[in-house]
Amino acid sequence: MEKVEGKLPRGSEEAFGRILNRDLFLFLLDLEVKRARRYQNFLCLMLFKIKQFSKEDNGGGLKACYQTLSDLLMEEIRESDIIGSLELDRLVVLLPYADVKAGTYVQSRFEDVLKYYDFKSKGVEIMIDQVCFPVNGSDTMDLIKWALRIEQS
């Protein structure tokens, strides 16, 4: 086991614990999509985009928001869920075995929890979307393209 762990890249921010970097997250996403296809299961991606609308603090609000959101996600998700960092302003949570209905429930729950955090005072806003397999795509690339389409809008 030690040999395998030594070869895996560490998360983008070691202080965040279970948050994976982009490459490792995409690798695990591909494995989960293949498993979901093989066993005819669902999976859902929750996309958290941190949108900065105030440039007054030179990115300090963005970093603080990223840290707060990371901590919140680590507290709220199940042990089987996987958190990844796509960029400094994007986090993604992979929910294995979650269909559209479960994804909508989780999204609603996160939106309710985020109401209690004052991100707007830090000049940022959190936008949450979801992409589900097989509804939004039948393979990893389809899901990634769908997710990127959502993030650009």
Side-chain angles (χ1 to χ4, degrees):
M1 188 71 174
E2 291 177 27
K3 292 180 183 178
V4 173
E5 288 176 355
K7 293 181 181 181
L8 292 175
R10 295 204 174 244
S12 61
E13 303 290 334
E14 289 185 34
F16 296 144
R18 290 184 27 206
I19 297 182
L20 306 177
N21 67 23
R22 180 186 177 101
D23 294 334
L24 184 54
F25 179 80
L26 293 176
F27 173 75
L28 290 176
L29 173 63
D30 188 49
L31 291 177
E32 287 295 327
V33 168
K34 289 175 182 174
R35 179 171 42 179
R37 187 180 312 120
R38 182 180 312 120
Y39 297 112
Q40 298 179 355
N41 291 325
F42 298 98
L43 69 84
C44 187
L45 295 174
M46 283 282 119
L47 308 163
F48 294 84
K49 183 175 182 182
I50 304 169
K51 185 176 178 181
Q52 186 171 9
F53 55 83
S54 173
K55 305 280 184 188
E56 295 174 6
D57 61 356
N58 295 326
L62 182 66
K63 290 176 185 173
C65 179
Y66 184 90
Q67 176 68 46
T68 303
L69 182 59
S70 319
D71 293 341
L72 178 65
L73 290 174
M74 298 266 294
E75 289 175 18
E76 293 292 324
I77 66 167
R78 305 172 297 185
E79 287 293 319
S80 62
D81 299 336
I82 301 168
I83 306 173
S85 174
L86 297 181
E87 293 178 18
L88 181 60
D89 65 342
R90 288 183 181 89
L91 289 171
V92 119
V93 177
L94 179 116
L95 307 167
Y97 309 106
D99 59 4
V100 175
K101 184 177 179 182
T104 303
Y105 172 76
V106 171
Q107 181 177 349
S108 173
R109 194 179 84 210
F110 277 120
E111 288 169 347
D112 288 343
V113 169
L114 290 175
K115 289 177 186 175
Y116 297 103
Y117 291 85
D118 191 20
F119 290 116
K120 291 193 187 236
S121 70
K122 295 177 180 147
V124 293
E125 178 181 16
I126 309 289
M127 301 172 68
I128 306 173
D129 282 303
Q130 69 172 323
V131 175
C132 296
F133 171 87
V135 175
N136 300 118
S138 59
D139 64 11
T140 307
M141 287 309 298
D142 287 344
L143 292 175
I144 292 169
K145 287 177 188 174
W146 191 270
L148 292 175
R149 191 176 316 138
I150 287 174
E151 289 181 1
Q152 291 173 356
S153 61

